[in-house]
Amino acid sequence: MTKRTIDYAKYFTAPNLKKARKRYKEDIEILDFEQIPEDVRHIGVGKKYLIKTYGCQMNEHDTETIAGILEQMGYAATDDEKSADVILFNTCAIRENAEDKVFGEIGRIKPLKIENPDLILGVCGCMSQEESVVNRILQKHQHVDLIFGTHNIHRLPHLLKEALFAKEMVVEVWSKEGDVVENMPKARANRLKAWVNIMYGCDKFCTYCIVPYTRGKERSRLPQDVLAEVRDLARLGYKEVTLLGQNVNAYGKDLTDIDYRFGHLMDDIAKIAVPRVRFTTSHPRDFDDHLIEVLAQGGNLVEHIHLPAQSGNSLMLKRMARKYTRDDYMRLVEKIKKAIPNVVLTTDIIVGFPGETDEQFADTLSLMREVAYDSAFTFIYSPREGTPAAKWEDTTPPEVKKERLLQLNEIQDAISLRKNEQLRGEVVEVLVEGESKKNADVLSGRTRSNKLVNFRGSKTLIGQFAEVRITEPKTYTLGGTLVCDAQREAL
Ligand code: 5AD
Ligand code: SF4
C-alpha cells in the first residue's frame, strides 16, 4: 500500500484583499457542480452537522447550499452542538460587531473540540476572505480545522475530506472570484419561501463596504438557469421567491452577448406561477425606467422595494462613492411612487461616516421624512480594513454617532407607526408562515410588502394565504382579524 501524502501548498490558499479588488476582463465560466466524488459520498453517514449563519440573506442561502452538499455526503442536520461532527460558522464581515461575535463563538466552542477531537470546526463566508481574519485564526485559534472562502463552497467535499485526514488547518480561499457554479445541491430551510441567486458579487466599491472584496466581481447567472430554478420552485409549491444579488439592478450587465437586464428578468418571472416574487438588494444608481415599468404591472411582483439610500447628503454620498446625489435619489423615489402608488419603500442608512457633520446628518433626517419609508435598517459606520474610508480621518466621537442613531431610529419609528396606522381597517393578503414566536395561539405571516401580521386563526391556515383585516397597527408589526381564506377554498 502506498502512503498518501497531502500537498498542503495546494490546499493552503490564503486570501488577499488587494487581489480581490482587481477586476479582470476575462469571461466567467458557467460550470456544473461536479458530483460528490465516490470516495467521500458516504463520509457523513451516521454523522451530524450544524451551521451557524451570520449576516445577510446571501449568507443564509449559501448555508442552504453548504447544507445541501453535506446532506449529499450523508450528514444529517442537528441543532445540538454536542452531537455535531461538523460545525461551520458561515460568517459576515460587513461590520466589526458581526466579526466580534464570530470570534467570541470560535473561542466559546473550543472545549467541545477538546472533548471531541474528531469534531471538524470550520469557518466560511465573508470573514474568511479577509487575510487579517485568517491570520488571527491561524495564530490564536488553532482548534479550527478548516477555512474556506465564498468562492470555494463547491469545493467543500474535497476540503472536508482533507480536513478529516489532515493534521494541520486546511485553508482554501480564492481571492479572485470563482466561476458561476450551477446545480449545486440545496437543503432549503423554508418550505414556503425560497431564495434564488440571480447574480454574485459587486462592482460598486462604495468606499465603506467590504462586500466587493469578499464577494468578488459582478457575475450574472444565465436567464435560462434563473428561470428554470424559479419554475421548479413554483412546481414544488413555493409561495414566495426572493431574488438575491448584492446589486440586483446590475443583473445582466456582464452578459455581453445578450441585451437582457433585470427588468427583462422580472418581466419573464412575472409569467411564472409563483404567487410572490421579491428581490434584494437594489442600488439606486442602476434602477432603470424599464424595471419600474415592469414592477408597476404588479401581479406576482410585490410592491415592496428596498432602496438603500445610506445618506441624505450629497457630499456624504459622493464620499461614499454611491454615484448619485440626494436629488437623483429623490427623483427616483418620486418616479417609483408615481408608477406604483401603493409601493412600500424601505432603506439602509449609515450614520457617522467619516467627516459627517451635524448639518449633513440633518439632511439624512430630512430625507427620511421626505421619502417616508415604511422601515429602515440603520447602522453606525464601522471601518473595514482594506476599504478606502477606513483610512480617512474620523473625528466624530462615538457618543455623537450613537446619539445620531437614536435620533434616526426615533424619527423612523414615528414614520413607521404612521404608515402602519394607514392600514387600520384595511384587508391585506397574508402568507401564513406559522405560530407567532411570542404566542403559540396566534398565527403570524407577512403581507406582500413584507410586514409582519399577527392574528388568530386555525393552524390549518399555515402555508396558505389568508385575508386579514388590520385592527391593531403597531410600529414594527400589525395585529389583525381573519376575514376569509378564499385561496384555501380554491386549493
Ligand atoms: N459600516 C456600517 N454599515 C455598513 N453597511 C455596509 N458597510 C458598512 C460599514 N462599513 C451597511 C449598508 C448596507 C448594509 C447591508 O450594511 O447600509 O446597505
Ligand atoms: Fe457594498 Fe455598495 Fe456593493 Fe452594496 S452596492 S454591496 S453597499 S459596495
Side-chain angles (χ1 to χ4, degrees):
M1 203 174 98
T2 51
K3 203 167 161 227
R4 212 173 54 90
T5 51
I6 294 165
D7 175 5
Y8 288 114
K10 188 167 142 210
Y11 287 101
F12 191 95
T13 330
N16 179 327
L17 284 182
K18 268 209 192 98
K19 222 155 109 190
R21 190 184 166 81
K22 294 223 172 76
R23 290 297 183 256
Y24 300 86
K25 281 249 157 45
E26 70 253 38
D27 286 342
I28 292 295
E29 259 193 271
I30 313 274
L31 305 175
D32 239 345
F33 180 68
E34 184 194 309
Q35 287 313 305
I36 313 266
E38 191 54 48
D39 59 337
V40 285
R41 197 169 295 162
H42 306 293
I43 225 168
V45 174
K47 293 184 180 170
K48 301 215 170 86
Y49 74 90
L50 171 60
I51 309 175
K52 297 190 176 236
T53 312
Y54 302 81
C56 66
Q57 289 100 330
M58 191 64 81
N59 260 20
E60 297 273 354
H61 190 38
D62 281 351
T63 287
E64 295 183 331
T65 306
I66 296 167
I69 296 176
L70 291 172
E71 290 185 14
Q72 279 204 353
M73 295 170 77
Y75 287 95
T78 180
D79 287 333
D80 175 30
E81 285 175 357
K82 290 215 163 77
S83 61
D85 300 279
V86 175
I87 299 180
L88 298 178
F89 293 101
N90 189 6
T91 62
C92 169
I94 201 113
R95 282 171 290 275
E96 196 180 352
N97 55 6
E99 297 204 347
D100 291 345
K101 256 192 242 161
V102 170
F103 276 114
E105 281 289 283
I106 294 176
R108 185 187 63 75
I109 224 140
K110 192 170 178 181
L112 274 185
K113 181 77 193 173
I114 296 167
E115 260 170 55
N116 173 14
D118 291 336
L119 169 69
I120 295 288
L121 194 57
V123 177
C124 58
C126 287
M127 277 171 72
S128 56
Q129 294 293 136
E130 298 177 277
E131 56 254 49
S132 59
V133 167
V134 171
N135 288 337
R136 184 166 158 190
I137 295 176
L138 281 166
Q139 280 158 20
K140 299 210 179 120
H141 302 280
Q142 268 294 325
H143 60 291
V144 170
D145 303 283
L146 168 66
I147 303 178
F148 61 98
T150 57
H151 308 306
N152 305 70
I153 293 175
H154 63 291
R155 301 250 321 129
L156 182 59
H158 304 273
L159 298 173
L160 196 53
K161 181 179 154 194
E162 294 306 327
L164 280 165
F165 297 108
K167 297 267 176 299
E168 287 173 37
M169 202 184 297
V170 173
V171 183
E172 188 182 280
V173 182
W174 295 338
S175 295
K176 184 177 168 293
E177 66 287 339
D179 300 305
V180 170
V181 185
E182 288 296 339
N183 298 316
M184 295 227 259
K186 288 181 187 82
R188 294 191 187 270
N190 189 306
R191 63 190 175 88
L192 296 177
K193 308 199 289 186
W195 285 303
V196 173
N197 281 123
I198 64 164
M199 60 181 302
Y200 305 95
C202 180
D203 286 349
K204 280 282 181 279
F205 288 103
C206 300
T207 51
Y208 51 81
C209 189
I210 192 78
V211 169
Y213 307 80
T214 61
R215 292 278 175 176
K217 88 168 176 184
E218 289 173 355
R219 290 104 68 206
S220 301
R221 288 180 69 198
L222 295 177
Q224 58 267 37
D225 291 332
V226 175
L227 293 171
E229 187 174 345
V230 177
R231 274 191 208 105
D232 268 351
L233 293 166
R235 250 195 311 273
L236 290 168
Y238 280 87
K239 303 283 194 271
E240 185 175 304
V241 161
T242 302
L243 307 176
L244 292 181
Q246 245 76 42
N247 168 16
V248 288
N249 305 81
Y251 177 79
K253 267 188 173 177
D254 56 319
L255 303 173
T256 43
D257 46 350
I258 49 172
D259 181 19
Y260 191 94
R261 300 292 306 274
F262 189 48
H264 300 105
L265 184 70
M266 289 304 269
D267 206 14
D268 281 339
I269 291 179
K271 294 172 196 131
I272 299 176
V274 64
R276 288 181 178 177
V277 179
R278 28 180 117 257
F279 57 89
T280 196
T281 225
S282 286
H283 193 293
R285 166 76 186 218
D286 293 324
F287 212 110
D288 60 41
D289 291 352
H290 178 229
L291 176 62
I292 298 176
E293 210 178 284
V294 170
L295 295 179
Q297 296 169 29
N300 61 354
L301 309 183
V302 300
E303 47 283 346
H304 171 211
I305 300 175
H306 185 65
L307 197 64
Q310 313 299 0
S311 167
N313 177 271
S314 293
L315 185 64
M316 277 296 110
L317 290 169
K318 188 159 191 226
R319 286 166 48 83
M320 289 175 166
R322 291 291 290 176
K323 302 176 184 78
Y324 54 83
T325 63
R326 178 192 175 112
D327 285 350
D328 296 335
Y329 185 89
M330 281 314 300
R331 263 195 299 274
L332 175 61
V333 165
E334 291 315 323
K335 227 192 281 179
I336 292 173
K337 284 184 174 173
K338 194 160 168 234
I340 313 167
N342 57 343
V343 74
V344 162
L345 293 173
T346 55
T347 199
D348 292 344
I349 299 285
I350 297 175
V351 300
F353 188 69
E356 184 188 61
T357 63
D358 284 342
E359 292 71 31
Q360 287 162 338
F361 170 64
D363 284 345
T364 299
L365 293 180
S366 76
L367 181 91
M368 304 286 278
R369 290 199 183 94
E370 213 173 317
V371 178
Y373 298 104
D374 281 70
S375 65
F377 294 104
T378 54
F379 311 102
I380 292 180
Y381 167 70
S382 169
R384 307 315 295 134
E385 198 183 315
T387 62
K391 296 188 204 84
W392 298 346
E393 196 185 9
D394 183 5
T395 51
T396 314
E399 312 80 69
V400 173
K401 295 186 182 185
K402 276 189 205 137
E403 183 49 42
R404 284 181 191 165
L405 188 72
L406 283 177
Q407 218 181 325
L408 194 67
N409 289 343
E410 215 169 276
I411 286 175
Q412 182 53 50
D413 282 356
I415 300 170
S416 298
L417 183 60
R418 196 183 78 215
K419 286 267 170 175
N420 286 345
E421 269 296 342
Q422 289 167 1
L423 291 172
R424 188 184 288 278
E426 296 286 313
V427 174
V428 294
E429 178 203 82
V430 175
L431 173 56
V432 189
E433 293 180 15
E435 292 166 2
S436 147
K437 281 200 187 107
K438 287 194 192 142
N439 179 352
D441 294 338
V442 170
L443 294 176
S444 163
R446 296 215 176 239
T447 64
R448 282 171 62 91
S449 57
N450 217 27
K451 295 192 184 208
L452 192 68
V453 183
N454 294 314
F455 64 101
R456 284 180 191 273
S458 155
K459 302 256 189 293
T460 56
L461 288 174
I462 295 172
Q464 313 286 338
F465 287 100
E467 303 214 322
V468 177
R469 188 178 302 282
I470 302 305
T471 50
E472 246 190 294
K474 299 180 192 157
T475 308
Y476 306 117
T477 60
L478 302 164
T481 52
L482 189 64
V483 176
C484 72
D485 129 49
Q487 297 255 358
R488 197 161 71 97
E489 309 295 52
L491 289 172

